[in-house]
Amino acid sequence: MNRRGFVITLIVLALGMSGVPRAQKPPAAPAGPVVVLETQKGTIEIELFQADAPKSVAHLLALVRNGFYRGLRFHWSQPGVIQIGDPTSRDMSRMDSWGKAGGGRSVGVAEISKRKFEKGIVGLAYLPGQKPTAADSQIFILRAPNPSLDGKYCALGRVIAGMNVVEKIEKPDMLKNAYVKGETPR
């Protein structure tokens, strides 16, 4: 290559790395089903990791399709995490005991995730002192990374839309409805 060709190549490379806009790829279609959570504060969409945790995802989808989550309240809200899935949260007079109940049927399998528990990850919760196989209906959404969960919980999915809504959720905000995107909500 001659000197002029070399200089042109350097200019092209420099422009390519200088922030000159390139054609952007459209967002990839979700790899798994998407669950839509309609809250009092807006909508959250969660792409499920069906390939990573097939039994846990099937369990969650069955609960969603049966209307289990409709009317539940977020029973846990901390700066780094929110949690929902206790059916007693429909009863405001039982607020002191929220977070201890489930749908009545554990997943029965420990699909511990190899994924990192980063902001937006949705995990399947179980009570302290129990084994991951006892996980049932309670799910949490991380508002911040939490590496202490890595290798201990099942990552069911990740928020793909509505993280701003996740940030606003407080105890006892209500989940108005949950359904699988593309299916008729119950």
Side-chain angles (χ1 to χ4, degrees):
M1 173 182 312
N2 64 28
R3 185 179 171 122
R4 182 173 181 221
F6 180 75
V7 170
I8 291 172
T9 301
L10 285 177
I11 292 170
V12 168
L13 287 173
L15 288 174
M17 293 181 204
S18 68
V20 173
R22 295 181 187 187
Q24 294 196 1
K25 296 179 187 176
V34 174
V35 169
V36 179
L37 305 179
E38 292 178 349
T39 76
Q40 293 175 296
K41 295 187 173 167
T43 301
I44 303 164
E45 292 187 13
I46 300 167
E47 173 189 10
L48 299 178
F49 299 145
Q50 197 161 24
D52 292 3
K55 291 182 180 178
S56 298
V57 166
H59 181 75
L60 176 71
L61 288 171
L63 290 168
V64 167
R65 288 177 174 132
N66 288 329
F68 174 81
Y69 291 97
R70 188 179 314 108
L72 293 186
R73 295 182 181 276
F74 288 87
H75 63 267
W76 187 255
S77 176
Q78 298 294 316
V81 65
I82 58 173
Q83 191 164 316
I84 194 165
D86 181 338
T88 65
S89 69
R90 288 185 179 97
D91 183 349
M92 292 295 286
S93 70
R94 297 179 67 187
M95 190 183 285
D96 290 344
S97 66
W98 288 0
K100 297 177 184 161
R105 189 176 68 89
S106 67
V107 176
V109 64
E111 293 175 309
I112 302 299
S113 182
K114 293 180 182 172
R115 291 179 184 263
K116 301 283 185 202
F117 279 79
E118 301 169 335
K119 181 177 181 174
I121 290 291
V122 179
L124 188 57
Y126 55 92
L127 291 172
Q130 292 185 336
K131 294 184 179 188
T133 56
D136 183 356
S137 58
Q138 293 193 29
I139 59 173
F140 60 87
I141 304 173
L142 292 180
R143 296 188 210 199
N146 191 336
S148 71
L149 303 178
D150 294 353
K152 297 177 185 167
Y153 287 84
C154 174
L156 290 172
R158 67 182 175 92
V159 174
I160 57 172
M163 197 61 202
N164 60 326
V165 177
V166 171
E167 299 290 346
K168 297 176 193 173
I169 296 291
E170 298 172 351
K171 179 181 179 178
D173 288 341
M174 185 187 297
L175 183 62
K176 296 190 301 186
N177 201 7
Y179 59 90
V180 180
K181 193 170 188 174
E183 296 180 8
T184 304
R186 290 184 64 179

Tab-separated table of all heavy atoms in Angstrom, residues 35-83:
chain	number	residue	atom	x	y	z
A	35	VAL	N	-43.492	-11.944	29.604
A	35	VAL	CA	-44.579	-11.738	30.551
A	35	VAL	C	-44.739	-10.240	30.749
A	35	VAL	O	-43.761	-9.516	30.925
A	35	VAL	CB	-44.297	-12.442	31.898
A	35	VAL	CG1	-45.279	-12.010	32.969
A	35	VAL	CG2	-44.346	-13.954	31.720
A	36	VAL	N	-45.983	-9.778	30.711
A	36	VAL	CA	-46.307	-8.373	30.898
A	36	VAL	C	-46.936	-8.206	32.280
A	36	VAL	O	-47.885	-8.922	32.621
A	36	VAL	CB	-47.282	-7.877	29.807
A	36	VAL	CG1	-47.644	-6.410	30.023
A	36	VAL	CG2	-46.690	-8.093	28.418
A	37	LEU	N	-46.366	-7.299	33.071
A	37	LEU	CA	-46.906	-6.975	34.384
A	37	LEU	C	-47.496	-5.573	34.303
A	37	LEU	O	-46.779	-4.613	34.048
A	37	LEU	CB	-45.819	-7.004	35.458
A	37	LEU	CG	-44.993	-8.279	35.608
A	37	LEU	CD1	-43.946	-8.106	36.701
A	37	LEU	CD2	-45.883	-9.473	35.888
A	38	GLU	N	-48.806	-5.473	34.504
A	38	GLU	CA	-49.473	-4.171	34.521
A	38	GLU	C	-49.612	-3.751	35.975
A	38	GLU	O	-50.374	-4.355	36.727
A	38	GLU	CB	-50.847	-4.252	33.860
A	38	GLU	CG	-50.782	-4.511	32.377
A	38	GLU	CD	-52.154	-4.636	31.734
A	38	GLU	OE1	-53.176	-4.724	32.452
A	38	GLU	OE2	-52.201	-4.648	30.504
A	39	THR	N	-48.850	-2.746	36.372
A	39	THR	CA	-48.874	-2.264	37.748
A	39	THR	C	-49.630	-0.949	37.821
A	39	THR	O	-49.980	-0.368	36.797
A	39	THR	CB	-47.451	-2.050	38.298
A	39	THR	OG1	-46.912	-0.844	37.739
A	39	THR	CG2	-46.527	-3.215	37.976
A	40	GLN	N	-49.832	-0.470	39.030
A	40	GLN	CA	-50.458	0.837	39.227
A	40	GLN	C	-49.597	1.960	38.659
A	40	GLN	O	-50.099	3.040	38.377
A	40	GLN	CB	-50.668	1.096	40.725
A	40	GLN	CG	-51.681	0.187	41.369
A	40	GLN	CD	-51.733	0.418	42.867
A	40	GLN	OE1	-50.762	0.183	43.571
A	40	GLN	NE2	-52.869	0.889	43.351
A	41	LYS	N	-48.310	1.699	38.510
A	41	LYS	CA	-47.378	2.751	38.098
A	41	LYS	C	-46.889	2.610	36.664
A	41	LYS	O	-46.051	3.387	36.226
A	41	LYS	CB	-46.204	2.788	39.071
A	41	LYS	CG	-46.692	3.203	40.463
A	41	LYS	CD	-45.594	3.431	41.427
A	41	LYS	CE	-46.172	3.992	42.716
A	41	LYS	NZ	-45.241	3.967	43.806
A	42	GLY	N	-47.393	1.602	35.945
A	42	GLY	CA	-46.982	1.405	34.564
A	42	GLY	C	-46.776	-0.066	34.260
A	42	GLY	O	-47.060	-0.936	35.080
A	43	THR	N	-46.263	-0.327	33.067
A	43	THR	CA	-46.111	-1.689	32.566
A	43	THR	C	-44.647	-2.112	32.548
A	43	THR	O	-43.777	-1.326	32.186
A	43	THR	CB	-46.721	-1.796	31.154
A	43	THR	OG1	-48.102	-1.425	31.230
A	43	THR	CG2	-46.615	-3.195	30.596
A	44	ILE	N	-44.423	-3.373	32.923
A	44	ILE	CA	-43.096	-3.980	32.914
A	44	ILE	C	-43.172	-5.194	31.995
A	44	ILE	O	-44.102	-5.985	32.095
A	44	ILE	CB	-42.681	-4.433	34.330
A	44	ILE	CG1	-42.721	-3.260	35.317
A	44	ILE	CG2	-41.309	-5.104	34.308
A	44	ILE	CD1	-42.696	-3.692	36.781
A	45	GLU	N	-42.193	-5.346	31.112
A	45	GLU	CA	-42.118	-6.532	30.254
A	45	GLU	C	-40.873	-7.327	30.619
A	45	GLU	O	-39.787	-6.765	30.743
A	45	GLU	CB	-42.081	-6.146	28.776
A	45	GLU	CG	-43.386	-5.542	28.299
A	45	GLU	CD	-43.418	-5.308	26.799
A	45	GLU	OE1	-42.535	-5.823	26.065
A	45	GLU	OE2	-44.339	-4.603	26.349
A	46	ILE	N	-41.062	-8.639	30.775
A	46	ILE	CA	-39.990	-9.531	31.199
A	46	ILE	C	-39.810	-10.636	30.167
A	46	ILE	O	-40.743	-11.403	29.903
A	46	ILE	CB	-40.307	-10.159	32.573
A	46	ILE	CG1	-40.479	-9.053	33.621
A	46	ILE	CG2	-39.251	-11.175	32.968
A	46	ILE	CD1	-41.096	-9.542	34.919
A	47	GLU	N	-38.625	-10.706	29.590
A	47	GLU	CA	-38.275	-11.811	28.697
A	47	GLU	C	-37.831	-12.976	29.577
A	47	GLU	O	-36.946	-12.825	30.429
A	47	GLU	CB	-37.141	-11.414	27.765
A	47	GLU	CG	-36.626	-12.566	26.921
A	47	GLU	CD	-35.352	-12.231	26.162
A	47	GLU	OE1	-34.741	-11.171	26.408
A	47	GLU	OE2	-34.949	-13.064	25.337
A	48	LEU	N	-38.446	-14.134	29.384
A	48	LEU	CA	-38.113	-15.301	30.210
A	48	LEU	C	-36.991	-16.120	29.575
A	48	LEU	O	-36.919	-16.261	28.350
A	48	LEU	CB	-39.355	-16.169	30.414
A	48	LEU	CG	-40.507	-15.472	31.137
A	48	LEU	CD1	-41.713	-16.400	31.245
A	48	LEU	CD2	-40.080	-14.977	32.511
A	49	PHE	N	-36.133	-16.675	30.436
A	49	PHE	CA	-34.995	-17.492	29.991
A	49	PHE	C	-35.416	-18.956	29.935
A	49	PHE	O	-35.002	-19.782	30.744
A	49	PHE	CB	-33.818	-17.334	30.959
A	49	PHE	CG	-33.279	-15.937	31.094
A	49	PHE	CD1	-32.810	-15.496	32.314
A	49	PHE	CD2	-33.215	-15.072	30.019
A	49	PHE	CE1	-32.278	-14.225	32.466
A	49	PHE	CE2	-32.692	-13.789	30.149
A	49	PHE	CZ	-32.224	-13.372	31.378
A	50	GLN	N	-36.254	-19.277	28.962
A	50	GLN	CA	-36.811	-20.620	28.856
A	50	GLN	C	-35.733	-21.679	28.661
A	50	GLN	O	-35.834	-22.766	29.230
A	50	GLN	CB	-37.814	-20.665	27.704
A	50	GLN	CG	-38.735	-21.851	27.764
A	50	GLN	CD	-39.967	-21.639	26.911
A	50	GLN	OE1	-39.966	-20.855	25.971
A	50	GLN	NE2	-41.024	-22.332	27.241
A	51	ALA	N	-34.700	-21.371	27.904
A	51	ALA	CA	-33.633	-22.347	27.662
A	51	ALA	C	-32.806	-22.610	28.923
A	51	ALA	O	-32.319	-23.718	29.122
A	51	ALA	CB	-32.730	-21.872	26.528
A	52	ASP	N	-32.666	-21.601	29.786
A	52	ASP	CA	-31.860	-21.737	31.005
A	52	ASP	C	-32.590	-22.465	32.124
A	52	ASP	O	-31.976	-23.177	32.917
A	52	ASP	CB	-31.464	-20.358	31.551
A	52	ASP	CG	-30.499	-19.609	30.656
A	52	ASP	OD1	-30.160	-20.106	29.568
A	52	ASP	OD2	-30.090	-18.508	31.047
A	53	ALA	N	-33.896	-22.224	32.242
A	53	ALA	CA	-34.661	-22.745	33.378
A	53	ALA	C	-36.038	-23.206	32.902
A	53	ALA	O	-37.064	-22.634	33.266
A	53	ALA	CB	-34.787	-21.660	34.444
A	54	PRO	N	-36.098	-24.261	32.089
A	54	PRO	CA	-37.372	-24.643	31.471
A	54	PRO	C	-38.482	-24.993	32.465
A	54	PRO	O	-39.628	-24.601	32.273
A	54	PRO	CB	-37.012	-25.842	30.590
A	54	PRO	CG	-35.685	-26.324	31.087
A	54	PRO	CD	-34.998	-25.145	31.689
A	55	LYS	N	-38.164	-25.697	33.532
A	55	LYS	CA	-39.212	-26.090	34.487
A	55	LYS	C	-39.680	-24.898	35.319
A	55	LYS	O	-40.876	-24.747	35.576
A	55	LYS	CB	-38.719	-27.220	35.381
A	55	LYS	CG	-38.546	-28.521	34.613
A	55	LYS	CD	-38.102	-29.660	35.486
A	55	LYS	CE	-37.962	-30.908	34.620
A	55	LYS	NZ	-37.489	-32.046	35.393
A	56	SER	N	-38.761	-24.058	35.728
A	56	SER	CA	-39.129	-22.877	36.507
A	56	SER	C	-39.950	-21.908	35.662
A	56	SER	O	-40.937	-21.339	36.134
A	56	SER	CB	-37.879	-22.184	37.058
A	56	SER	OG	-37.183	-23.048	37.925
A	57	VAL	N	-39.553	-21.717	34.411
A	57	VAL	CA	-40.291	-20.834	33.513
A	57	VAL	C	-41.678	-21.412	33.238
A	57	VAL	O	-42.678	-20.685	33.264
A	57	VAL	CB	-39.507	-20.577	32.205
A	57	VAL	CG1	-40.394	-19.942	31.132
A	57	VAL	CG2	-38.292	-19.701	32.490
A	58	ALA	N	-41.785	-22.721	32.999
A	58	ALA	CA	-43.096	-23.347	32.778
A	58	ALA	C	-43.993	-23.153	33.997
A	58	ALA	O	-45.198	-22.888	33.864
A	58	ALA	CB	-42.927	-24.830	32.464
A	59	HIS	N	-43.420	-23.277	35.197
A	59	HIS	CA	-44.165	-23.074	36.443
A	59	HIS	C	-44.690	-21.637	36.522
A	59	HIS	O	-45.872	-21.410	36.808
A	59	HIS	CB	-43.254	-23.397	37.635
A	59	HIS	CG	-43.897	-23.264	38.964
A	59	HIS	ND1	-44.791	-24.185	39.449
A	59	HIS	CD2	-43.776	-22.321	39.922
A	59	HIS	CE1	-45.200	-23.812	40.659
A	59	HIS	NE2	-44.594	-22.676	40.959
A	60	LEU	N	-43.825	-20.666	36.249
A	60	LEU	CA	-44.227	-19.262	36.274
A	60	LEU	C	-45.300	-18.983	35.226
A	60	LEU	O	-46.303	-18.316	35.515
A	60	LEU	CB	-43.018	-18.347	36.043
A	60	LEU	CG	-43.354	-16.862	35.969
A	60	LEU	CD1	-43.741	-16.317	37.345
A	60	LEU	CD2	-42.187	-16.077	35.406
A	61	LEU	N	-45.131	-19.497	34.020
A	61	LEU	CA	-46.115	-19.270	32.964
A	61	LEU	C	-47.481	-19.843	33.345
A	61	LEU	O	-48.517	-19.226	33.074
A	61	LEU	CB	-45.636	-19.862	31.641
A	61	LEU	CG	-44.491	-19.120	30.952
A	61	LEU	CD1	-43.960	-19.925	29.768
A	61	LEU	CD2	-44.923	-17.732	30.518
A	62	ALA	N	-47.497	-21.009	33.989
A	62	ALA	CA	-48.770	-21.598	34.433
A	62	ALA	C	-49.450	-20.692	35.450
A	62	ALA	O	-50.667	-20.468	35.377
A	62	ALA	CB	-48.538	-22.993	35.017
A	63	LEU	N	-48.675	-20.144	36.393
A	63	LEU	CA	-49.246	-19.223	37.379
A	63	LEU	C	-49.799	-17.969	36.705
A	63	LEU	O	-50.906	-17.508	37.030
A	63	LEU	CB	-48.195	-18.837	38.422
A	63	LEU	CG	-47.764	-19.941	39.394
A	63	LEU	CD1	-46.515	-19.518	40.167
A	63	LEU	CD2	-48.895	-20.298	40.344
A	64	VAL	N	-49.052	-17.413	35.768
A	64	VAL	CA	-49.490	-16.209	35.063
A	64	VAL	C	-50.775	-16.509	34.291
A	64	VAL	O	-51.752	-15.754	34.370
A	64	VAL	CB	-48.379	-15.685	34.117
A	64	VAL	CG1	-48.913	-14.630	33.157
A	64	VAL	CG2	-47.216	-15.138	34.927
A	65	ARG	N	-50.789	-17.615	33.547
A	65	ARG	CA	-51.966	-17.959	32.728
A	65	ARG	C	-53.200	-18.255	33.576
A	65	ARG	O	-54.324	-18.073	33.115
A	65	ARG	CB	-51.629	-19.139	31.826
A	65	ARG	CG	-50.678	-18.744	30.701
A	65	ARG	CD	-50.278	-19.914	29.836
A	65	ARG	NE	-49.483	-19.469	28.711
A	65	ARG	CZ	-48.341	-20.036	28.339
A	65	ARG	NH1	-47.864	-21.089	28.987
A	65	ARG	NH2	-47.681	-19.550	27.298
A	66	ASN	N	-52.996	-18.716	34.799
A	66	ASN	CA	-54.125	-19.006	35.697
A	66	ASN	C	-54.583	-17.775	36.474
A	66	ASN	O	-55.479	-17.874	37.311
A	66	ASN	CB	-53.766	-20.128	36.670
A	66	ASN	CG	-53.704	-21.467	35.982
A	66	ASN	OD1	-54.418	-21.710	35.016
A	66	ASN	ND2	-52.849	-22.346	36.467
A	67	GLY	N	-53.965	-16.626	36.256
A	67	GLY	CA	-54.380	-15.390	36.910
A	67	GLY	C	-53.898	-15.262	38.344
A	67	GLY	O	-54.383	-14.407	39.092
A	68	PHE	N	-52.917	-16.084	38.743
A	68	PHE	CA	-52.438	-16.086	40.120
A	68	PHE	C	-51.958	-14.711	40.585
A	68	PHE	O	-52.236	-14.295	41.710
A	68	PHE	CB	-51.312	-17.115	40.292
A	68	PHE	CG	-50.674	-17.085	41.645
A	68	PHE	CD1	-51.263	-17.719	42.725
A	68	PHE	CD2	-49.492	-16.391	41.857
A	68	PHE	CE1	-50.691	-17.670	43.993
A	68	PHE	CE2	-48.907	-16.331	43.118
A	68	PHE	CZ	-49.511	-16.987	44.182
A	69	TYR	N	-51.227	-13.991	39.757
A	69	TYR	CA	-50.592	-12.734	40.179
A	69	TYR	C	-51.542	-11.534	40.186
A	69	TYR	O	-51.240	-10.517	40.798
A	69	TYR	CB	-49.374	-12.430	39.303
A	69	TYR	CG	-48.243	-13.404	39.534
A	69	TYR	CD1	-48.056	-14.500	38.708
A	69	TYR	CD2	-47.380	-13.241	40.613
A	69	TYR	CE1	-47.031	-15.410	38.939
A	69	TYR	CE2	-46.351	-14.143	40.857
A	69	TYR	CZ	-46.185	-15.222	40.015
A	69	TYR	OH	-45.174	-16.120	40.256
A	70	ARG	N	-52.692	-11.655	39.523
A	70	ARG	CA	-53.629	-10.531	39.447
A	70	ARG	C	-54.081	-10.120	40.848
A	70	ARG	O	-54.532	-10.934	41.638
A	70	ARG	CB	-54.842	-10.890	38.607
A	70	ARG	CG	-55.747	-9.704	38.328
A	70	ARG	CD	-56.961	-10.031	37.459
A	70	ARG	NE	-56.651	-10.828	36.287
A	70	ARG	CZ	-56.997	-12.124	36.160
A	70	ARG	NH1	-57.640	-12.740	37.115
A	70	ARG	NH2	-56.693	-12.767	35.065
A	71	GLY	N	-53.909	-8.844	41.158
A	71	GLY	CA	-54.356	-8.310	42.443
A	71	GLY	C	-53.369	-8.472	43.587
A	71	GLY	O	-53.630	-8.002	44.695
A	72	LEU	N	-52.225	-9.123	43.333
A	72	LEU	CA	-51.220	-9.241	44.395
A	72	LEU	C	-50.529	-7.895	44.579
A	72	LEU	O	-50.509	-7.054	43.688
A	72	LEU	CB	-50.162	-10.296	44.054
A	72	LEU	CG	-50.617	-11.747	43.993
A	72	LEU	CD1	-49.410	-12.659	43.791
A	72	LEU	CD2	-51.393	-12.155	45.216
A	73	ARG	N	-49.946	-7.734	45.742
A	73	ARG	CA	-49.209	-6.502	46.045
A	73	ARG	C	-47.720	-6.834	46.169
A	73	ARG	O	-47.355	-7.931	46.570
A	73	ARG	CB	-49.722	-5.882	47.334
A	73	ARG	CG	-51.153	-5.414	47.197
A	73	ARG	CD	-51.654	-4.746	48.453
A	73	ARG	NE	-53.031	-4.330	48.290
A	73	ARG	CZ	-53.420	-3.192	47.719
A	73	ARG	NH1	-52.533	-2.339	47.266
A	73	ARG	NH2	-54.689	-2.898	47.611
A	74	PHE	N	-46.912	-5.858	45.806
A	74	PHE	CA	-45.474	-6.002	46.005
A	74	PHE	C	-45.243	-5.967	47.511
A	74	PHE	O	-45.545	-4.985	48.166
A	74	PHE	CB	-44.705	-4.899	45.274
A	74	PHE	CG	-44.709	-5.090	43.789
A	74	PHE	CD1	-45.739	-4.588	43.011
A	74	PHE	CD2	-43.698	-5.799	43.171
A	74	PHE	CE1	-45.761	-4.776	41.635
A	74	PHE	CE2	-43.701	-6.001	41.799
A	74	PHE	CZ	-44.739	-5.493	41.034
A	75	HIS	N	-44.750	-7.070	48.054
A	75	HIS	CA	-44.599	-7.175	49.511
A	75	HIS	C	-43.192	-6.837	49.982
A	75	HIS	O	-42.939	-6.776	51.180
A	75	HIS	CB	-45.009	-8.575	50.004
A	75	HIS	CG	-44.157	-9.679	49.466
A	75	HIS	ND1	-44.491	-10.376	48.332
A	75	HIS	CD2	-43.003	-10.203	49.908
A	75	HIS	CE1	-43.573	-11.294	48.098
A	75	HIS	NE2	-42.642	-11.204	49.038
A	76	TRP	N	-42.300	-6.600	49.070
A	76	TRP	CA	-40.923	-6.267	49.433
A	76	TRP	C	-40.441	-5.202	48.472
A	76	TRP	O	-40.527	-5.372	47.256
A	76	TRP	CB	-40.054	-7.511	49.337
A	76	TRP	CG	-38.655	-7.358	49.845
A	76	TRP	CD1	-37.530	-7.243	49.086
A	76	TRP	CD2	-38.223	-7.314	51.198
A	76	TRP	NE1	-36.424	-7.134	49.882
A	76	TRP	CE2	-36.825	-7.178	51.197
A	76	TRP	CE3	-38.881	-7.366	52.414
A	76	TRP	CZ2	-36.078	-7.095	52.352
A	76	TRP	CZ3	-38.131	-7.295	53.569
A	76	TRP	CH2	-36.747	-7.161	53.531
A	77	SER	N	-39.961	-4.108	49.007
A	77	SER	CA	-39.427	-3.028	48.187
A	77	SER	C	-38.259	-2.406	48.931
A	77	SER	O	-38.439	-1.786	49.969
A	77	SER	CB	-40.516	-1.973	47.925
A	77	SER	OG	-39.974	-0.889	47.202
A	78	GLN	N	-37.089	-2.634	48.390
A	78	GLN	CA	-35.847	-2.098	48.943
A	78	GLN	C	-35.122	-1.363	47.815
A	78	GLN	O	-35.469	-1.534	46.654
A	78	GLN	CB	-34.972	-3.237	49.492
A	78	GLN	CG	-35.612	-4.023	50.629
A	78	GLN	CD	-35.786	-3.176	51.872
A	78	GLN	OE1	-34.899	-2.437	52.260
A	78	GLN	NE2	-36.959	-3.262	52.492
A	79	PRO	N	-34.106	-0.581	48.140
A	79	PRO	CA	-33.407	0.143	47.068
A	79	PRO	C	-32.905	-0.763	45.935
A	79	PRO	O	-32.933	-0.358	44.778
A	79	PRO	CB	-32.243	0.817	47.800
A	79	PRO	CG	-32.744	1.001	49.190
A	79	PRO	CD	-33.605	-0.207	49.467
A	80	GLY	N	-32.513	-1.996	46.242
A	80	GLY	CA	-31.947	-2.857	45.211
A	80	GLY	C	-32.873	-3.911	44.650
A	80	GLY	O	-32.520	-4.601	43.702
A	81	VAL	N	-34.093	-4.060	45.218
A	81	VAL	CA	-34.939	-5.177	44.797
A	81	VAL	C	-36.405	-4.931	45.147
A	81	VAL	O	-36.708	-4.240	46.129
A	81	VAL	CB	-34.456	-6.497	45.452
A	81	VAL	CG1	-34.615	-6.464	46.963
A	81	VAL	CG2	-35.131	-7.720	44.873
A	82	ILE	N	-37.297	-5.498	44.309
A	82	ILE	CA	-38.714	-5.564	44.645
A	82	ILE	C	-39.135	-7.029	44.524
A	82	ILE	O	-38.488	-7.811	43.809
A	82	ILE	CB	-39.592	-4.674	43.737
A	82	ILE	CG1	-39.428	-5.045	42.257
A	82	ILE	CG2	-39.299	-3.208	43.991
A	82	ILE	CD1	-40.390	-4.306	41.321
A	83	GLN	N	-40.201	-7.400	45.223
A	83	GLN	CA	-40.637	-8.799	45.206
A	83	GLN	C	-42.154	-8.869	45.273
A	83	GLN	O	-42.804	-8.058	45.927
A	83	GLN	CB	-40.016	-9.553	46.377
A	83	GLN	CG	-40.194	-11.063	46.286
A	83	GLN	CD	-39.253	-11.804	47.211
A	83	GLN	OE1	-38.073	-11.468	47.291
A	83	GLN	NE2	-39.758	-12.802	47.895
